[in-house]
């Protein structure tokens, strides 16, 4: 009989939710009671909304426990681990009986995330037991030519998962065709889109898959050096990557004459960023690796011809690389059977915002947005009404309710005015003001603009000023038209993707929620009750019992009144935080 | 930063810097600038003073202006003094939707400083940052290498008490594994 295996989801998300305490507790109990079972720290399981997560596998049966704290960990230890008696009410996933979260998994196909939450990311042997490094070994053992490898990637239909959506195989072909003694393979791990965390999860949960994908790319195009450009905000990802790199070098999978093949020299280093969203753009990223400010440059020349230190360079995103070993090992057909005509395979989405099940899902291209949000994602929090979903972060756009039957593939999403981007889905409900949302995203791009192109640098600032004015009740006639005009100018006159897409959140919200803009400008009203400056909180005289709860909780002491007397809100001092509104048990605070 | 502290890396750190420089081609030592600035920031009190930047320029054999322009471009480099414990609050879309503003306001009230400022005892700094990529647990804060998710006012209170008691220092050399 196989030993019982206990896995704890310990990516950054799990740890943030308290998984370390759970691990420590179970570890301590294991030691003190000298029990023999395997205790594994694994990566992100995907169910962020139920973290901390503990999975117990025994006799081929898996039980995934959710929302586990130290107390529940003790119970699980006493009952399940010691006596093999599962505690049904804490189980969030098993094949043996139904749970209320089953629809989260329905329709998911895990290729990029195949090992996340399954293996110990700090163990190379764990990766190898899951067919790890077998793809590169297959290429070398069977002497598969570089051209054949590239053709397999082209045939798979894999397109850049960082958001660009360019054919990965074609990119490799261009780099292959450029002759040079030195060629670079770069992994773009500068994930920065608000609401996107799939790359962090892959790096923390399955770093070897990225290394293997990069090594295959190096073989295919003749790459000599690899760089993983990773956000410095991801310390755990960087630690795990460095552990994986050391293990791979020790095994002879990286370095000189790797896998015993004479002349196949390839090593990888991690390069940390330092907090600049624009460095996700490939030319800015290369500038940053070279130790410069992360400012994009004009293309052509494209990196495939002249990239890092002016050498041919191939840049792919983390998720893209993570797909590569599976495509090589199982054939292009294993990948392209999923998806639509022009968007093949699967895509990882991060569900965030006002959604019930915030987390990571991997689904075949072609699934509808509606299915992702309502079936997998479990719908909207607190039974509120769905309003829109922001796809593609600050470069993307809002997709309104009447378009949620749009399927997710590159072209269909682009047709709505949004973009696929890296796969962040930020869900908004009826209480989110769309003008304020657009202002918020523009505030982000305006801050993150590197400042090189005038239209991006100054244009986004002017747009932000107009949007701020509108949300503060100072909107003027002609503001909407001015925003539209500026948007066109910024899109047309910016060098890189940041500027070219920065106006998208504004354009899509004007397109689908023009009435909200008009209400702010003409009637000085915020229909969603989201813009604080346009709100007034008052006390309803006949409902106020004088319980003093509102006054006690007001952070700026704007509420006065004696106990059992009607209270009063000083409008001058009030910061419209809404605390009184939320705290009052008698519905005595009116919002208008 | 202790004013008496000499701006010089230890032998050990210098060896680390040489190793990082060796990752890059001959003559491209400037490529090591970002990592070396991370190290310098961690070793010299969590921020980059002009003398520290000049020192980094000297060990990489580049001009001081080349260091200044990089240090002022990237948001993770602090070019002004910070507290021992920098509390980074994610202010990006998903956290914003899930109540980051209230968390920021609570922190500001509790520490009696505004975001971007440092408490007078030099213990805490509040810094607003962009997406920390733990949106499933929004609102999220990061302190040093640690993420803390599903933040509430109560959890903030607990954390601050704990950090205060233990004199938490958030900056550490990212290359010490």
């Amino acid at each position: 009989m196989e030993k019982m295996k206990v896995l704890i989801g310990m990516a950054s998300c799990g740890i943030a939710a308290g998984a370390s305490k759970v691990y420590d507790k179970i570890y301590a109990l294991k030691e003190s009671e000298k029990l023999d079972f395997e205790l594994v720290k694994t990566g992100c399981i995907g169910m962020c909304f139920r973290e901390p997560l503990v999975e117990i596998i025994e006799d081929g049966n898996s039980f995934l426990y959710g929302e586990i704290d130290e107390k529940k960990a003790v119970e699980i230890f006493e009952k399940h681990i010691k006596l093999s008696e599962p505690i049904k009410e804490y189980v969030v996933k098993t094949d043996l009986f139904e749970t209320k979260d089953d629809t989260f998994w329905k329709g998911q196909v895990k290729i990029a995330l195949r090992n996340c939450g399954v293996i110990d990311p700090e163990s190379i042997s764990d990766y190898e037991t899951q067919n790890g490094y077998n793809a590169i070994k297959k290429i070398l053992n069977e002497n598969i030519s570089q051209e054949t490898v590239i053709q397999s990637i082209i045939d798979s239909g894999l397109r850049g998962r960082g958001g660009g959506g360019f054919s990965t195989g074609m990119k490799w072909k261009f780099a292959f065709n450029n002759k040079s003694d030195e060629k670079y393979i770069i992994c773009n791990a500068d994930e920065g889109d608000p609401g996107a965390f799939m790359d962090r999860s892959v790096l923390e949960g399955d770093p070897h898959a990225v290394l293997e994908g990069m090594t295959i790319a190096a073989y295919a195009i003749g790459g000599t050096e690899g760089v993983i450009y990773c956000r410095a905000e991801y310390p755990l990802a960087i630690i795990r990557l460095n552990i994986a790199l050391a293990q791979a070098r020790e095994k002879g999978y990286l370095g000189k004459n790797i896998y015993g093949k004479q002349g196949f020299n390839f090593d990888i280093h991690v390069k940390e960023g330092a907090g600049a969203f624009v460095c996700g753009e490939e030319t800015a990223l290369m500038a940053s690796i070279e130790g410069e400010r992360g400012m994009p440059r004009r293309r052509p020349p494209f990196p495939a011809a002249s990239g890092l230190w002016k050498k041919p360079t191939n840049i792919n995103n983390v998720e893209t690389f993570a797909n590569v070993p599976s495509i090589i090992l199982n054939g292009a057909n294993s990948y392209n059977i999923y998806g639509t005509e022009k968007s093949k395979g699967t895509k990882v989405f991060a569900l965030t915002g006002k959604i019930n099940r915030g987390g990571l899902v991997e689904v075949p291209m072609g699934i509808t947005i509606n299915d992702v949000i309502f079936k997998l994602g479990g719908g909207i929090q607190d039974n509120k009404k769905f309003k829109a979903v922001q796809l593609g972060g600050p470069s993307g756009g809002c997709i309104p309710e009447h378009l949620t039957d749009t399927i997710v593939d590159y072209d269909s999403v682009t047709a709505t005015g949004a973009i696929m981007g890296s796969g962040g889905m930020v869900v908004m409900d009826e209480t989110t003001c769309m003008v304020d949302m657009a202002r918020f995203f523009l505030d982000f791009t305006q801050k993150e603009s590197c400042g090189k192109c005038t239209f991006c640098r100054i244009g986004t600032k002017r747009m932000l000023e107009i949007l701020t004015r509108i949300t503060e009740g100072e909107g003027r006639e002609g503001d909407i038209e001015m925003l539209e005009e500026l948007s066109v100018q910024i899109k047309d006159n910016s060098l890189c993707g940041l500027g070219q897409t920065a106006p998208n959140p504004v354009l899509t919200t004007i397109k689908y929620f023009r009435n909200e803009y008009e209400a702010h400008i003409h009637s000085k009203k915020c229909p969603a009750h989201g813009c604080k400056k346009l709100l007034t909180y008052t006390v309803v005289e006949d409902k106020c019992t004088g319980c003093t709860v509102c006054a006690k909780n007001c952070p700026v002491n704007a509420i006065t009144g004696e106990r059992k007397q009607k209270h009063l809100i000083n409008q001058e001092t009030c910061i419209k935080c809404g605390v009184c509104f939320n705290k009052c048990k008698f519905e005595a605070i009116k919002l208008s | 930063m202790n004013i008496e502290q000499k701006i010089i890396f230890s032998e050990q750190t210098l060896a680390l810097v040489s190793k990082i420089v060796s990752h890059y081609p001959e003559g491209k030592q400037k490529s090591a600038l970002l990592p070396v600035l991370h190290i310098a920031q961690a070793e010299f009190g969590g921020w980059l003073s002009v003398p520290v930047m000049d020192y980094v320029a000297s060990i990489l054999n580049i001009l001081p202006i080349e260091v200044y322009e990089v240090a002022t471009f990237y948001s993770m480099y602090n070019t002004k003094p910070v507290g021992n414990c920098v509390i980074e609050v994610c202010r990006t879309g998903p956290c914003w939707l899930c109540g980051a503003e209230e968390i920021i306001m609570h922190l500001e009230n509790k520490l009696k400083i505004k975001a971007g400022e440092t408490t007078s005892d030099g213990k805490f700094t509040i810094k607003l940052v962009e997406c920390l990529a733990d949106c499933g647990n929004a609102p999220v804060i990061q302190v040093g290498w640690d993420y803390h998710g599903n933040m509430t006012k109560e959890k903030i209170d607990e954390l601050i008490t704990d950090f205060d008691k233990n004199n938490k220092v958030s900056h550490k050399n990212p290359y010490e594994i």
Side-chain angles (χ1 to χ4, degrees), chain A residues 64-359:
Chain A
L64 181 64
Y65 290 105
E67 295 173 339
I68 299 308
D69 53 18
E70 286 173 277
K71 198 169 147 259
K72 287 180 183 169
V74 176
E75 277 182 69
I76 290 171
F77 183 86
E78 294 298 334
K79 285 200 178 148
H80 196 157
I81 296 177
K82 273 170 83 175
L83 308 170
S84 292
E85 289 170 12
I87 308 172
K88 259 189 151 180
E89 62 263 39
Y90 301 158
V91 174
V92 292
K93 187 196 177 204
T94 178
D95 289 335
L96 298 182
F97 50 86
E98 280 182 15
T99 73
K100 62 180 179 179
D101 290 326
D102 281 350
T103 49
F104 178 74
W105 301 97
K106 256 195 180 143
Q108 287 207 52
V109 176
K110 301 230 174 187
I111 297 176
L113 298 179
R114 61 195 176 277
N115 294 325
C116 285
V118 176
I119 61 167
D120 174 359
E122 296 184 13
S123 156
I124 192 167
S125 59
D126 253 28
Y127 179 65
E128 290 189 295
T129 56
Q130 304 289 328
N131 268 324
Y133 290 111
N134 282 350
I136 182 70
K137 285 177 187 163
K138 177 182 164 182
I139 290 172
L140 298 172
N141 292 340
E142 297 175 15
N143 255 325
I144 300 176
S145 71
Q146 291 169 289
E147 290 87 343
T148 311
V149 172
I150 294 172
Q151 196 56 48
S152 298
I153 302 298
I154 294 176
D155 291 344
S156 74
L158 178 63
R159 292 169 66 172
R161 292 293 187 247
F166 190 78
S167 160
T168 304
M170 290 305 291
K171 225 179 188 180
W172 288 19
K173 200 170 178 175
F174 294 144
F176 170 74
N177 287 336
N178 284 302
K179 300 293 166 219
S180 171
D181 292 343
E182 284 166 341
K183 288 186 190 177
Y184 294 101
I185 306 290
I186 297 178
C187 173
N188 184 347
D190 193 46
E191 177 174 62
D193 271 3
F197 50 94
M198 54 288 292
D199 293 348
R200 178 184 58 70
S201 293
V202 171
L203 294 170
E204 290 176 354
D206 195 14
H208 284 286
V210 178
L211 306 190
E212 188 179 4
M214 289 178 75
T215 310
I216 293 169
Y219 172 84
I221 69 167
T224 47
E225 276 281 330
V227 180
I228 301 175
Y229 185 88
C230 184
R231 291 182 84 192
E233 288 92 338
Y234 292 176
L236 188 61
I238 293 168
I239 290 170
R240 289 191 177 155
L241 275 171
N242 280 316
I243 292 171
L245 285 167
Q247 291 170 340
R249 277 188 207 114
E250 200 185 328
K251 282 236 172 190
Y253 296 169
L254 287 173
K256 294 220 182 309
N257 303 320
I258 56 178
Y259 299 93
K261 188 175 164 67
Q262 285 300 311
F264 186 12
N265 304 328
F266 182 67
D267 205 345
I268 303 173
H269 291 103
V270 180
K271 168 94 186 202
E272 297 82 355
F277 174 69
V278 69
C279 288
E281 196 279 340
E282 57 184 18
T283 59
L285 186 151
M286 291 187 300
S288 184
I289 294 178
E290 291 174 2
E292 307 284 347
R293 290 167 83 107
M295 288 170 127
R297 61 160 176 73
R298 183 182 288 278
R299 294 175 302 181
F302 285 93
S306 173
L308 188 58
W309 298 303
K310 300 202 164 37
K311 302 286 181 189
T313 302
N314 176 69
I315 305 182
N316 293 125
N317 150 276
V318 172
E319 190 187 330
T320 312
F321 277 127
N323 279 304
V324 167
S326 166
I327 292 169
I328 296 298
L329 201 60
N330 306 312
N333 287 342
S334 70
Y335 197 73
N336 66 22
I337 53 164
Y338 298 107
T340 61
E341 193 196 337
K342 288 185 179 165
S343 302
K344 299 293 184 194
T346 57
K347 175 81 195 90
V348 183
F349 287 99
L351 309 181
T352 67
K354 304 278 195 180
I355 194 162
N356 272 323
R357 297 184 186 137

Side-chain angles (χ1 to χ4, degrees), chain A residues 13 16 194 197 200 231 233-234 269 271-275 288-289 291-294 309 352 354 440 443-444, chain B residues 23-24 28 30-31 38 69-70 73-76 91-93 97 101 130-131 133-135 137 142 147 149 175:
Chain A
C13 44
F197 50 94
R200 178 184 58 70
R231 291 182 84 192
E233 288 92 338
Y234 292 176
H269 291 103
K271 168 94 186 202
E272 297 82 355
S288 184
I289 294 178
E292 307 284 347
R293 290 167 83 107
W309 298 303
T352 67
K354 304 278 195 180
F440 196 83
D443 179 55
F444 176 85
Chain B
H23 292 165
Y24 302 103
K28 306 287 185 199
K30 190 183 175 183
S31 301
H38 280 305
E69 61 180 16
V70 164
F73 183 82
Y74 295 93
S75 64
M76 289 178 84
R91 58 170 298 279
T92 314
L97 282 172
E101 278 185 335
E130 298 301 346
C131 193
D134 185 16
C135 322
N137 292 316
Q142 185 173 19
Y147 280 35
Y175 299 88

Side-chain angles (χ1 to χ4, degrees), chain B residues 2-66:
Chain B
N2 180 351
I3 301 166
E4 299 297 312
Q5 188 182 1
K6 269 201 179 150
I7 299 169
I8 186 161
F9 282 150
S10 66
E11 287 290 316
Q12 207 184 350
T13 310
L14 282 172
L16 182 66
V17 170
S18 301
K19 195 178 152 206
I20 293 170
V21 170
S22 76
H23 292 165
Y24 302 103
E26 194 74 34
K28 306 287 185 199
Q29 78 281 2
K30 190 183 175 183
S31 301
L33 179 53
L34 272 71
V36 176
L37 283 177
H38 280 305
I39 295 171
Q41 178 158 294
E43 299 225 336
F44 299 119
W47 72 290
L48 298 167
S49 65
V50 170
V52 166
M53 290 192 275
D54 292 348
Y55 175 66
V56 169
S58 74
I59 59 171
L60 289 178
N61 202 15
I62 55 177
L63 295 172
I65 183 70
E66 294 179 271

Side-chain angles (χ1 to χ4, degrees), chain B:
Chain B
M1 192 179 75
N2 180 351
I3 301 166
E4 299 297 312
Q5 188 182 1
K6 269 201 179 150
I7 299 169
I8 186 161
F9 282 150
S10 66
E11 287 290 316
Q12 207 184 350
T13 310
L14 282 172
L16 182 66
V17 170
S18 301
K19 195 178 152 206
I20 293 170
V21 170
S22 76
H23 292 165
Y24 302 103
E26 194 74 34
K28 306 287 185 199
Q29 78 281 2
K30 190 183 175 183
S31 301
L33 179 53
L34 272 71
V36 176
L37 283 177
H38 280 305
I39 295 171
Q41 178 158 294
E43 299 225 336
F44 299 119
W47 72 290
L48 298 167
S49 65
V50 170
V52 166
M53 290 192 275
D54 292 348
Y55 175 66
V56 169
S58 74
I59 59 171
L60 289 178
N61 202 15
I62 55 177
L63 295 172
I65 183 70
E66 294 179 271
V67 181
Y68 307 159
E69 61 180 16
V70 164
T72 51
F73 183 82
Y74 295 93
S75 64
M76 289 178 84
Y77 299 128
N78 301 313
T79 48
K80 281 191 284 186
V82 292
N84 283 333
C85 180
V86 181
I87 299 168
E88 299 179 306
V89 190
C90 179
R91 58 170 298 279
T92 314
C95 279
W96 174 67
L97 282 172
C98 297
E101 278 185 335
E102 273 177 43
I103 296 299
I104 295 165
M105 214 191 313
H106 183 67
L107 266 171
E108 289 179 335
N109 286 338
K110 189 163 177 73
L111 297 174
K112 300 190 176 60
I113 49 170
K114 290 279 166 209
E117 294 176 352
T118 302
T119 51
S120 56
D121 60 4
K123 274 188 174 171
F124 295 102
T125 299
I126 306 173
K127 186 171 177 181
L128 304 186
V129 296
E130 298 301 346
C131 193
L132 293 173
D134 185 16
C135 322
N137 292 316
V140 176
I141 67 167
Q142 185 173 19
V143 180
W145 290 11
D146 302 324
Y147 280 35
H148 302 273
N150 303 313
M151 276 299 117
T152 57
K153 290 176 188 175
E154 291 73 27
K155 282 191 188 172
I156 291 280
D157 291 347
E158 274 174 41
L159 281 175
I160 298 285
T161 310
D162 179 53
F163 294 157
D164 197 23
K165 204 172 79 191
N166 297 310
N167 282 321
K168 170 90 178 170
V169 177
S170 59
H171 46 270
K172 67 173 172 176
N173 186 335
Y175 299 88
E176 279 172 4
I177 295 177

